[in-house]
Coordinates of all heavy atoms in Angstrom, one line a residue:
G415 N 13.0 32.6 -5.1 CA 13.2 32.3 -3.7 C 12.3 33.1 -2.8 O 12.0 34.2 -3.0
L416 N 12.0 32.4 -1.7 CA 11.3 33.1 -0.6 C 12.1 34.2 -0.1 O 13.3 34.1 0.2 CB 11.0 32.1 0.5 CG 9.9 31.0 0.2 CD1 9.8 29.9 1.2 CD2 8.5 31.6 0.1
G417 N 11.4 35.3 0.1 CA 12.1 36.5 0.6 C 12.8 37.4 -0.5 O 13.2 38.5 -0.2
E418 N 12.9 36.8 -1.7 CA 13.6 37.6 -2.8 C 12.8 38.9 -3.2 O 13.5 39.8 -3.7 CB 13.9 36.8 -4.0 CG 15.0 35.8 -3.7 CD 15.3 34.9 -5.0 OE1 14.8 35.2 -6.0 OE2 16.1 34.0 -4.8
M419 N 11.5 38.8 -3.2 CA 10.7 39.9 -3.7 C 9.9 40.7 -2.6 O 9.5 41.8 -2.8 CB 9.7 39.5 -4.7 CG 10.3 39.1 -6.0 SD 9.0 39.0 -7.3 CE 10.0 38.5 -8.7
T420 N 9.8 40.1 -1.4 CA 9.0 40.7 -0.4 C 9.5 42.0 0.1 O 8.7 42.9 0.6 CB 8.7 39.8 0.8 OG1 10.1 39.2 1.2 CG2 7.8 38.6 0.4
D421 N 10.8 42.2 0.1 CA 11.4 43.5 0.6 C 11.6 44.5 -0.5 O 12.0 45.6 -0.2 CB 12.8 43.2 1.2 CG 12.6 42.3 2.5 OD1 11.6 42.4 3.2 OD2 13.6 41.5 2.8
A422 N 11.3 44.1 -1.7 CA 11.5 45.0 -2.8 C 10.2 45.8 -3.1 O 9.3 45.8 -2.3 CB 11.8 44.2 -4.1
D423 N 10.2 46.5 -4.2 CA 9.0 47.3 -4.6 C 7.8 46.3 -4.8 O 7.9 45.3 -5.5 CB 9.2 48.0 -5.8 CG 8.1 48.8 -6.4 OD1 7.0 48.7 -5.8 OD2 8.3 49.5 -7.4
P424 N 6.7 46.5 -4.0 CA 5.5 45.5 -4.2 C 5.1 45.4 -5.7 O 4.6 44.2 -6.0 CB 4.4 46.1 -3.4 CG 5.1 47.0 -2.4 CD 6.4 47.5 -3.1
V425 N 5.3 46.4 -6.5 CA 4.9 46.3 -7.9 C 5.6 45.1 -8.6 O 5.1 44.5 -9.5 CB 5.1 47.6 -8.6 CG1 4.8 47.5 -10.1 CG2 4.3 48.7 -8.0
Q426 N 6.9 44.9 -8.2 CA 7.6 43.8 -8.8 C 6.9 42.4 -8.6 O 6.9 41.6 -9.4 CB 9.1 43.7 -8.2 CG 10.0 44.9 -8.7 CD 10.0 45.1 -10.2 OE1 10.3 44.1 -10.9 NE2 9.7 46.2 -10.7
M427 N 6.3 42.3 -7.3 CA 5.6 41.0 -7.0 C 4.3 41.1 -7.9 O 4.0 40.0 -8.4 CB 5.2 41.0 -5.6 CG 4.5 39.8 -5.1 SD 5.6 38.3 -5.0 CE 6.4 38.6 -3.4
Y428 N 3.6 42.2 -8.1 CA 2.5 42.2 -8.8 C 2.6 41.8 -10.3 O 1.7 41.3 -10.9 CB 1.8 43.6 -8.7 CG 1.5 44.2 -7.4 CD1 1.2 45.5 -7.1 CD2 1.4 43.2 -6.3 CE1 0.9 45.9 -5.9 CE2 1.0 43.7 -5.0 CZ 0.8 45.0 -4.8 OH 0.5 45.5 -3.6
L429 N 3.9 42.0 -10.8 CA 4.1 41.6 -12.2 C 4.0 40.1 -12.4 O 3.9 39.7 -13.6 CB 5.5 42.1 -12.6 CG 5.6 43.7 -12.8 CD1 7.1 44.1 -13.0 CD2 4.7 44.2 -13.9
N430 N 4.0 39.4 -11.4 CA 3.8 37.9 -11.6 C 2.4 37.6 -12.2 O 2.3 36.5 -12.8 CB 3.9 37.2 -10.2 CG 5.4 36.8 -9.9 OD1 5.9 35.9 -10.4 ND2 6.0 37.6 -9.1
D431 N 1.5 38.5 -12.1 CA 0.1 38.2 -12.6 C -0.1 38.8 -13.9 O -1.2 38.8 -14.5 CB -0.8 38.9 -11.6 CG -0.8 38.5 -10.2 OD1 -0.4 37.3 -10.0 OD2 -1.0 39.2 -9.3
V432 N 1.0 39.1 -14.7 CA 0.8 39.9 -16.0 C 0.1 39.0 -17.0 O -0.6 39.6 -17.9 CB 2.2 40.4 -16.5 CG1 3.1 39.2 -16.9 CG2 2.1 41.3 -17.6
F433 N 0.4 37.7 -17.0 CA -0.3 36.8 -18.1 C -1.7 36.3 -17.6 O -2.3 35.7 -18.4 CB 0.6 35.7 -18.4 CG 1.9 36.1 -19.0 CD1 3.1 35.4 -18.6 CD2 2.0 37.0 -20.0 CE1 4.3 35.8 -19.2 CE2 3.2 37.4 -20.6 CZ 4.3 36.8 -20.2
T434 N -2.0 36.5 -16.4 CA -3.2 35.8 -15.8 C -4.4 36.7 -15.5 O -5.5 36.3 -15.6 CB -2.9 35.0 -14.6 OG1 -2.2 35.9 -13.7 CG2 -2.0 33.9 -14.9
V435 N -4.1 38.0 -15.3 CA -5.2 39.0 -14.8 C -6.3 39.2 -15.8 O -7.4 39.4 -15.5 CB -4.7 40.2 -14.2 CG1 -3.9 40.0 -12.9 CG2 -3.9 41.1 -15.3
T436 N -5.9 39.1 -17.1 CA -6.9 39.5 -18.2 C -8.0 38.5 -18.1 O -9.2 38.8 -18.4 CB -6.2 39.4 -19.6 OG1 -5.5 38.1 -19.7 CG2 -5.2 40.5 -19.8
V437 N -7.7 37.2 -17.8 CA -8.7 36.2 -17.8 C -9.8 36.4 -16.6 O -11.0 36.3 -16.9 CB -8.0 34.8 -17.5 CG1 -9.1 33.6 -17.3 CG2 -7.1 34.5 -18.6
N438 N -9.4 37.0 -15.5 CA -10.3 37.3 -14.5 C -11.1 38.6 -14.8 O -12.3 38.6 -14.6 CB -9.5 37.5 -13.2 CG -8.7 36.3 -12.7 OD1 -7.7 36.1 -13.2 ND2 -9.4 35.5 -11.8
L439 N -10.4 39.5 -15.4 CA -11.2 40.8 -15.7 C -12.3 40.5 -16.8 O -13.2 41.1 -16.8 CB -10.1 41.8 -16.3 CG -9.2 42.4 -15.2 CD1 -8.0 43.2 -15.9 CD2 -9.9 43.3 -14.3
A440 N -12.0 39.5 -17.6 CA -13.0 39.2 -18.7 C -13.9 38.0 -18.3 O -14.8 37.7 -19.1 CB -12.2 38.8 -20.0
G441 N -13.6 37.5 -17.1 CA -14.5 36.4 -16.6 C -14.4 35.1 -17.4 O -15.4 34.2 -17.3
L442 N -13.2 34.9 -18.0 CA -13.1 33.7 -18.9 C -12.5 32.5 -18.1 O -11.9 32.6 -17.1 CB -12.2 34.0 -20.0 CG -12.7 35.1 -20.9 CD1 -11.6 35.6 -21.9 CD2 -13.9 34.7 -21.7
P443 N -12.6 31.3 -18.7 CA -11.8 30.1 -18.1 C -10.4 30.1 -18.6 O -10.1 30.4 -19.8 CB -12.7 28.9 -18.7 CG -13.2 29.4 -20.0 CD -13.5 30.9 -19.8
G444 N -9.5 29.7 -17.7 CA -8.1 29.6 -18.1 C -7.6 28.4 -17.4 O -7.9 28.1 -16.2
I445 N -6.5 27.7 -18.0 CA -5.9 26.6 -17.4 C -4.4 26.7 -17.6 O -3.9 27.1 -18.6 CB -6.4 25.2 -17.9 CG1 -5.9 24.0 -17.2 CG2 -6.2 25.2 -19.4 CD1 -6.6 22.7 -17.5
S446 N -3.6 26.3 -16.5 CA -2.2 26.2 -16.6 C -1.8 24.7 -16.7 O -2.3 23.9 -15.8 CB -1.5 26.8 -15.4 OG -0.1 26.7 -15.4
V447 N -1.0 24.4 -17.6 CA -0.5 23.0 -17.8 C 1.0 23.0 -17.6 O 1.7 23.8 -18.2 CB -1.0 22.5 -19.2 CG1 -0.4 21.0 -19.4 CG2 -2.4 22.5 -19.4
P448 N 1.5 22.1 -16.9 CA 3.0 22.0 -16.8 C 3.6 21.6 -18.1 O 3.2 20.6 -18.7 CB 3.2 20.9 -15.7 CG 1.9 20.1 -15.7 CD 0.9 21.0 -16.1
A449 N 4.6 22.4 -18.5 CA 5.1 22.3 -19.8 C 6.6 21.9 -20.0 O 7.0 21.4 -21.0 CB 4.9 23.6 -20.6
G450 N 7.4 22.1 -19.0 CA 8.8 21.8 -19.1 C 9.6 22.3 -17.9 O 9.0 22.9 -17.0
L451 N 10.9 22.1 -17.9 CA 11.8 22.6 -16.8 C 12.7 23.7 -17.5 O 13.1 23.6 -18.6 CB 12.6 21.5 -16.3 CG 11.8 20.3 -15.6 CD1 12.8 19.2 -15.2 CD2 11.0 20.8 -14.5
D452 N 12.9 24.7 -16.7 CA 13.9 25.7 -17.1 C 15.3 25.2 -16.9 O 15.6 24.1 -16.5 CB 13.7 27.1 -16.5 CG 14.0 27.1 -14.9 OD1 14.4 26.1 -14.4 OD2 13.7 28.1 -14.3
A453 N 16.3 26.1 -17.1 CA 17.7 25.7 -17.0 C 18.1 25.3 -15.6 O 19.0 24.6 -15.3 CB 18.6 26.9 -17.5
Q454 N 17.3 25.8 -14.6 CA 17.6 25.5 -13.2 C 17.0 24.2 -12.8 O 17.2 23.7 -11.7 CB 17.1 26.6 -12.3 CG 17.6 27.9 -12.6 CD 16.9 29.0 -11.7 OE1 17.3 29.3 -10.6 NE2 15.8 29.5 -12.2
G455 N 16.2 23.6 -13.7 CA 15.4 22.5 -13.3 C 14.1 22.7 -12.6 O 13.6 21.8 -11.9
L456 N 13.5 23.9 -12.8 CA 12.3 24.3 -12.2 C 11.2 24.2 -13.3 O 11.4 24.5 -14.4 CB 12.4 25.6 -11.5 CG 13.3 25.7 -10.4 CD1 13.4 27.2 -9.9 CD2 13.0 24.9 -9.2
P457 N 9.9 23.9 -12.8 CA 8.8 23.8 -13.8 C 8.3 25.0 -14.3 O 8.4 26.2 -13.6 CB 7.7 23.1 -13.0 CG 8.0 23.3 -11.5 CD 9.6 23.5 -11.5
L458 N 7.9 25.1 -15.5 CA 7.2 26.2 -16.2 C 6.0 25.7 -16.8 O 5.8 24.5 -17.2 CB 8.1 26.7 -17.4 CG 9.5 27.3 -17.0 CD1 10.3 27.5 -18.2 CD2 9.3 28.7 -16.2
G459 N 5.0 26.6 -16.9 CA 3.6 26.3 -17.4 C 3.2 27.1 -18.6 O 3.7 28.1 -18.8
L460 N 2.4 26.5 -19.4 CA 1.6 27.1 -20.5 C 0.2 27.4 -20.1 O -0.4 26.5 -19.4 CB 1.8 26.4 -21.7 CG 3.2 26.4 -22.4 CD1 3.1 25.5 -23.6 CD2 3.6 27.8 -22.8
Q461 N -0.4 28.4 -20.5 CA -1.8 28.8 -20.2 C -2.7 28.7 -21.5 O -2.2 29.2 -22.5 CB -1.9 30.1 -19.6 CG -3.3 30.7 -19.4 CD -3.4 32.1 -18.8 OE1 -4.0 32.3 -17.8 NE2 -2.7 33.0 -19.4
L462 N -3.8 28.1 -21.4 CA -4.8 28.1 -22.4 C -6.0 28.9 -21.8 O -6.4 28.7 -20.7 CB -5.2 26.8 -22.9 CG -4.2 26.0 -23.7 CD1 -4.5 24.4 -23.6 CD2 -4.4 26.4 -25.1
I463 N -6.5 29.8 -22.7 CA -7.7 30.6 -22.3 C -8.8 30.2 -23.3 O -8.6 30.1 -24.5 CB -7.4 32.1 -22.5 CG1 -6.2 32.5 -21.7 CG2 -8.6 33.0 -22.1 CD1 -5.7 33.9 -22.0
G464 N -10.0 29.9 -22.6 CA -11.1 29.4 -23.5 C -12.3 30.4 -23.6 O -12.3 31.5 -23.0
R465 N -13.2 30.0 -24.4 CA -14.5 30.8 -24.5 C -15.3 30.7 -23.2 O -15.2 29.6 -22.6 CB -15.3 30.2 -25.7 CG -14.8 30.4 -27.0 CD -15.5 29.5 -28.0 NE -15.1 29.8 -29.4 CZ -15.6 30.7 -30.3 NH1 -16.7 31.4 -29.9 NH2 -15.2 30.7 -31.5
P466 N -16.2 31.6 -22.9 CA -16.9 31.5 -21.7 C -17.8 30.3 -21.7 O -18.5 30.0 -22.8 CB -17.8 32.8 -21.7 CG -17.7 33.4 -23.0 CD -16.4 32.9 -23.6
W467 N -17.9 29.6 -20.7 CA -18.7 28.4 -20.4 C -18.3 27.1 -21.2 O -19.0 26.1 -21.2 CB -20.2 28.6 -20.7 CG -20.7 29.9 -20.1 CD1 -21.2 31.0 -20.7 CD2 -20.7 30.3 -18.7 NE1 -21.4 32.1 -19.8 CE2 -21.2 31.6 -18.6 CE3 -20.4 29.6 -17.5 CZ2 -21.4 32.3 -17.4 CZ3 -20.5 30.3 -16.3 CH2 -21.0 31.5 -16.3
E468 N -17.1 27.2 -21.9 CA -16.7 26.1 -22.7 C -15.4 25.4 -22.1 O -14.5 25.1 -22.7 CB -16.2 26.7 -24.1 CG -17.4 27.2 -24.9 CD -18.4 26.2 -25.2 OE1 -18.2 25.0 -25.2 OE2 -19.6 26.6 -25.5
E469 N -15.5 25.2 -20.7 CA -14.5 24.5 -20.1 C -14.2 23.1 -20.6 O -13.1 22.7 -20.6 CB -14.9 24.3 -18.5 CG -14.8 25.6 -17.7 CD -16.1 26.4 -17.8 OE1 -17.1 25.9 -18.4 OE2 -16.1 27.5 -17.1
G470 N -15.2 22.4 -21.1 CA -15.0 21.1 -21.7 C -14.0 21.2 -22.9 O -13.1 20.4 -23.1

Side-chain angles (χ1 to χ4, degrees):
L416 289 168
E418 284 184 10
M419 289 199 184
T420 47
D421 297 328
D423 179 355
V425 173
Q426 293 301 311
M427 184 74 81
Y428 299 164
L429 290 173
N430 274 281
D431 301 329
V432 67
F433 297 135
T434 52
V435 294
T436 53
V437 175
N438 299 82
L439 290 168
L442 299 172
I445 187 170
S446 175
V447 178
L451 301 176
D452 70 1
Q454 305 173 87
L456 295 177
L458 296 168
L460 288 173
Q461 174 181 230
L462 282 158
I463 303 168
R465 295 169 174 264
W467 315 117
E468 298 296 340
E469 287 85 0

